[in-house]
Amino acid sequence: MDRSKLYRRFHTLLIANRGEIACRVIRSARGMGLRTVAVYSEADRDAMHVAMADEAVLLGPARARDSYLNIERVIEAARRTGAEAVHPGYGFLSENAEFAQACLDSGLVFVGPTAAMMTAMGSKSGSKVLMEKAGVPLVPGYHGEAQDEAVLAKAADKIGFPVLVKASAGGGGRGMRVVNSAGELAAAIVSAKREAKAAFGDDRMLIEKFVQNPRHIEVQIIGDSHGNLLSLFERECTLQRRHQKVIEEAPSPTLDPKQREAVCAAARKAAAAVNYVGAGTIEFVSDGKEVFFIEMNTRLQVEHPVTELVTGVDLVEWQLRVAFGERLPMAQDEIRLNGHAIEARVYAENPQKNFMPSVGRIRTWRTPAAVDGLRIDAGYRDGDAVSPHYDAMLAKVIAWAPTRHAAIERLNRGLEQTDVRGIVTNIPFLSALVTHPDVRANVIDTGFIERELTKLTAPGAPGDLEFCAAAAAVVHEERKSAGKEAHSPWQTFGWMPVGERQRVFVFRQATGAEQKVTLRYGAGPSVLSIGEREFAFETSAAEDGGFDLTLDGMKSRVIAVIEGHELYLRTRGGRFDLHWVDPFGGETEEQVGEDKIVAPLPGTVVALLAEEGAKLEKGAAILTLEVMKMEQTLRAPFAGVLKKIKCRVGDIVGEGVELAELEPASA
Ligand code: ADP
Ligand code: ADP
Ligand code: MG
């Protein structure tokens, strides 16, 4: 076929995907001066990729089949916008040969291999026949045409248990079963076939020896339409859950330089067997000594950024240049390995509830600045909705450093500084994973997460530091809001004229026991006490939205988000969610919707923390009352406007006296 028909210069690129990968592709395309066209479903009208692109076309209803997977509608969107090329991202139509062909037939450049290459490599069985011929090492197994039970059973016996039954058309870890003995085989085949039929419309199976203590190693390759083919080193993706990657790194910490060269050479040989054009990945499973080919992915991979960070190559840019019909800009010996990179996939899921997906609106989306070797590839922002229709991956946090150790530290710090509210994410789980001593020591296999699950998902137990930090966070926040007013007595902490004052906080983690923290302050230094233990304490604002807490002369950074009675804390001990049990703070349901702020007990007004006319979030501090030598801050029981303050500092008020009026925010 005339290659100029397949690959030629274009100016407008349609991205047939959503989420972080659509955003990622738009970034590089725009950098190359291309006009970008997004496509979207009804659920994604306000999605980030739609906002980023120059133009966007509605494909159809939320269901992927009616939108992102609908070939006709995607091609029609290209026609309507004058797009000349299509980048498929990963997932969706990226490995669909029919789609690649439909693009070509409509005069569009498909950014990827030809339909024929996809067909040859797309099936796990078919590609193994090719690899066998090319002399690439395979896992011992059966990948023949015959599918009757007797043939499969005989093959499994010959291979020797345990075996892995796999859907030939499989992807994303689906249609796969480990079988430990002959007796389990028939049932496993039936259920794997059922899953494969539903997911891929194809239930052909292959059988492989289940490699013991398996590690996943893969090689990034890219070919141009002039016969040049390069490998860009390997990635190790051994940290998996249910055969799905969670953490990926480059280079593999398991291979020595000789093994590295061998696996990269095997990958080039594999890709050369089909004169591969475009970016692709050759996947291997390893027992720690040898590597065996398992499959090829004929697309850009989720984890491509780690390769980009250690080679300095922008893979999307190279994909587009190959699609222009250009030659690859470097030769094999110019591709250098520099440092170490590691990536964590941030999912909207709850590790404590068996990784159940979490859907809803993202209230807060905070990620650290992408500096000092940190990269964040995100597909979501503040206020975006996470829909149940698509993959739960929200973003990737990727770190680079000169050494593996430093890259892990950097990644963990990046994760610690990432804060998503409104939905549940796996971020705490990712932090626990990357800081696990076995992960640092690289003594892992693909079963590691499953074995360590209890440990990896256990919420950290808060200690003195966390309880003190919680009390300090409340006080710190109150002082901050009071500080906005001129002449506020809260500007200096020891503001009370005489005597020592105290204030009691009670916190609890989930359904755990309650912990009392007492704050005493007055003439001398302020003191926090928990039971018999006492800590002199101070706080000072820090630049990243958190504050520095000094306890008995030891300073550490605390990040705290206070939402009503829920406190999200990050201390050097990790992440903690605490509930603030406040007897006077609108804990009771009756108070919700009540627009009068009344004194719960007789007391003295000691501070006004908000001004008349101020817009208040639910839980925002309004004023502080001193009751029986203890202070209680009255908070907004709902979001609204502070209509009137009906008291002054120093007023002695009786129980039930109205102190302020709050007007609910209209919905
Ligand atoms: P790899 O992780 O090696 O690239 P996968 O098969 O796990 O291989 O990656 C593709 C996965 O990405 C699919 O399971 C698919 O559900 C998911 N996916 C597809 N499109 C998107 C997207 N836009 N954002 C996030 N995930 C997606
Ligand atoms: P998918 O298309 O779902 O990515 P793969 O064939 O790549 O399917 O397998 C997914 C994962 O399962 C691999 O990353 C690897 O960890 C594990 N795996 C695959 N084949 C074997 C095997 N023969 N022995 C042990 N583990 C395997
Ligand atoms: Mg795979």
Side-chain angles (χ1 to χ4, degrees):
M1 163 160 316
D2 178 5
R3 291 222 143 147
S4 66
K5 276 219 177 68
L6 286 164
Y7 303 110
R8 64 188 144 72
R9 183 93 209 174
F10 50 83
H11 307 281
T12 303
L13 176 71
L14 181 143
I15 298 99
N17 215 301
R18 64 182 302 284
E20 70 87 16
I21 193 59
C23 300
R24 159 76 190 90
V25 172
I26 291 171
R27 264 195 305 277
S28 282
R30 177 160 298 156
M32 296 167 74
L34 298 177
R35 194 164 67 101
T36 56
V37 179
V39 290
Y40 64 97
S41 73
E42 282 165 11
D44 278 343
R45 284 179 196 280
D46 301 318
M48 184 167 165
H49 74 284
V50 176
M52 269 180 82
D54 296 315
E55 280 158 53
V57 183
L58 174 68
L59 291 176
R63 218 165 49 145
R65 226 193 304 158
D66 303 322
S67 47
Y68 298 105
L69 284 174
N70 190 305
I71 294 178
E72 249 169 66
R73 289 188 195 169
V74 174
I75 302 266
E76 170 65 10
R79 198 194 53 75
R80 276 174 60 197
T81 53
E84 302 146 276
V86 176
H87 193 302
Y90 54 72
F92 294 127
L93 295 170
S94 62
E95 295 187 272
N96 188 312
E98 194 192 324
F99 179 60
Q101 189 59 44
C103 287
L104 179 67
D105 294 344
S106 311
L108 297 165
V109 175
F110 179 79
V111 181
T114 63
M117 293 171 198
M118 254 189 224
T119 309
M121 297 305 278
S123 129
K124 294 191 207 296
S125 317
S127 65
K128 283 179 137 184
V129 177
L130 279 171
M131 292 308 110
E132 210 163 22
K133 272 198 211 135
V136 176
L138 300 184
V139 199
Y142 171 81
H143 45 265
E145 286 288 328
Q147 289 287 310
D148 43 292
E149 216 188 297
V151 174
L152 293 177
K154 208 171 139 205
D157 265 334
K158 197 173 147 215
I159 297 161
F161 292 93
V163 299
L164 195 58
V165 173
K166 250 191 221 183
S168 184
R174 283 170 299 176
M176 210 144 103
R177 300 283 182 279
V178 180
V179 183
N180 289 307
S181 65
E184 298 168 19
L185 185 69
I189 289 176
V190 169
S191 86
K193 274 187 184 266
R194 199 183 322 114
E195 193 172 301
K197 187 86 197 167
F200 318 109
D202 177 346
D203 65 358
R204 277 171 302 166
M205 291 289 141
L206 56 91
I207 301 183
E208 282 173 7
K209 175 94 196 149
F210 183 74
V211 175
Q212 294 296 316
N213 305 317
R215 285 176 173 272
H216 177 108
I217 288 165
E218 59 183 34
V219 177
Q220 176 71 52
I221 54 107
I222 189 163
D224 65 22
S225 55
H226 305 274
N228 302 303
L229 184 78
L230 300 175
S231 60
L232 285 86
F233 298 104
E234 82 288 359
R235 298 180 283 255
E236 172 143 1
C237 320
T238 295
L239 288 170
Q240 305 186 346
R241 203 182 69 84
R242 309 207 164 158
H243 310 295
Q244 275 275 51
K245 298 157 188 165
V246 180
I247 305 274
E248 305 102 339
E249 55 189 309
S252 160
T254 312
L255 302 184
D256 62 31
K258 230 173 115 192
Q259 291 169 309
R260 170 162 304 120
E261 185 35 48
V263 73
C264 289
R268 288 193 299 267
K269 200 146 99 183
V274 286
N275 299 313
Y276 192 73
V277 177
T281 296
I282 315 287
E283 296 194 329
F284 300 89
V285 64
S286 168
D287 56 10
K289 293 190 274 310
E290 287 173 279
V291 296
F292 308 100
F293 172 85
I294 50 175
E295 67 159 345
M296 175 168 188
N297 291 325
T298 55
R299 56 171 162 89
L300 193 67
Q301 208 109 335
V302 175
E303 56 275 21
H304 75 277
V306 292
T307 298
E308 297 187 319
L309 291 184
V310 293
T311 59
V313 170
D314 178 334
L315 280 167
V316 174
E317 184 195 325
W318 280 24
Q319 280 189 300
L320 292 170
R321 291 173 73 161
V322 167
F324 287 163
E326 289 180 18
R327 285 169 192 282
L328 287 169
M330 284 190 194
Q332 189 65 58
D333 62 0
E334 290 173 295
I335 313 275
R336 297 273 159 73
L337 188 59
N338 176 29
H340 198 95
I342 180 161
E343 169 184 285
R345 299 188 185 192
V346 176
Y347 282 99
E349 65 185 13
N350 188 345
Q352 250 129 38
K353 290 193 175 144
N354 198 25
F355 295 88
M356 189 161 65
S358 171
V359 297
R361 200 159 289 281
I362 297 174
R363 240 180 309 122
T364 313
W365 176 271
R366 196 166 69 170
T367 51
V371 287
D372 296 335
L374 205 60
R375 167 172 164 181
I376 318 283
D377 282 15
Y380 291 81
R381 309 153 295 179
D382 267 334
D384 282 348
V386 179
S387 124
H389 296 281
Y390 314 112
D391 197 273
M393 199 178 82
L394 304 175
K396 301 175 301 201
V397 179
I398 314 123
W400 178 93
T403 64
R404 179 172 191 262
H405 231 67
I408 289 178
E409 295 298 349
R410 219 165 240 180
L411 174 63
N412 188 43
R413 201 171 168 79
L415 288 168
E416 281 183 346
Q417 292 173 328
T418 303
D419 199 35
V420 184
R421 301 275 150 227
I423 49 156
V424 185
T425 73
N426 66 340
I427 295 172
F429 166 76
L430 293 172
S431 275
L433 191 55
V434 296
T435 53
H436 193 295
D438 291 356
V439 172
R440 290 186 190 249
N442 189 34
V443 286
I444 50 170
D445 60 76
T446 57
F448 175 79
I449 290 180
E450 211 61 49
R451 285 196 305 274
E452 291 289 305
L453 208 50
T454 324
K455 203 156 148 199
L456 293 169
T457 55
D464 287 351
L465 170 65
E466 284 69 38
F467 288 116
C468 287
V474 173
V475 172
H476 184 78
E477 196 215 44
E478 290 172 1
R479 286 164 71 194
K480 241 184 12 200
S481 44
K484 285 185 201 131
E485 289 170 63
H487 316 299
S488 163
W490 285 85
Q491 276 173 340
T492 46
F493 197 61
W495 54 274
M496 286 303 288
V498 280
E500 193 171 72
R501 309 271 151 176
Q502 71 168 4
R503 181 168 175 186
V504 174
F505 299 89
V506 176
F507 300 106
R508 143 161 69 66
Q509 185 189 34
T511 51
E514 293 188 348
Q515 182 64 64
K516 195 164 109 177
V517 183
T518 308
L519 162 64
R520 286 204 321 277
Y521 61 94
S526 306
V527 172
L528 283 165
S529 61
I530 296 177
E532 303 281 278
R533 301 180 296 287
E534 299 209 326
F535 309 92
F537 102 103
E538 261 171 70
T539 65
S540 58
E543 78 286 341
D544 59 359
F547 61 91
D548 283 324
L549 170 67
T550 309
L551 279 185
D552 279 346
M554 178 160 163
K555 189 180 92 171
S556 67
R557 181 69 46 88
V558 173
I559 310 251
V561 180
I562 304 178
E563 287 176 349
H565 286 250
E566 305 311 319
L567 266 82
Y568 307 102
L569 284 182
R570 219 146 55 222
T571 69
R572 73 187 137 81
R575 274 165 204 264
F576 303 87
D577 292 357
L578 293 180
H579 179 75
W580 177 20
V581 187
D582 180 355
F584 304 112
E587 186 92 342
T588 52
E589 298 222 335
E590 300 84 80
Q591 219 165 333
V592 176
E594 170 66 79
D595 55 356
K596 292 180 177 41
I597 309 298
V598 300
L601 288 169
T604 311
V605 177
V606 296
L608 296 176
L609 304 176
E611 280 174 285
E612 270 184 8
K615 270 200 196 138
L616 299 181
E617 300 283 0
K618 181 179 171 195
I622 298 174
L623 54 88
T624 305
L625 206 59
E626 191 197 316
V627 181
M628 296 180 296
K629 283 237 169 218
M630 295 218 263
E631 290 184 4
Q632 295 303 335
T633 297
L634 303 191
R635 294 174 176 271
F638 48 80
V641 175
L642 189 57
K643 246 177 98 184
K644 196 145 188 60
I645 298 178
K646 300 187 167 178
C647 58
R648 282 178 306 179
V649 172
D651 282 358
I652 296 167
V653 295
E655 183 181 353
V657 168
E658 189 183 349
L659 302 175
E661 216 178 298
L662 186 66
E663 190 176 84
S666 45

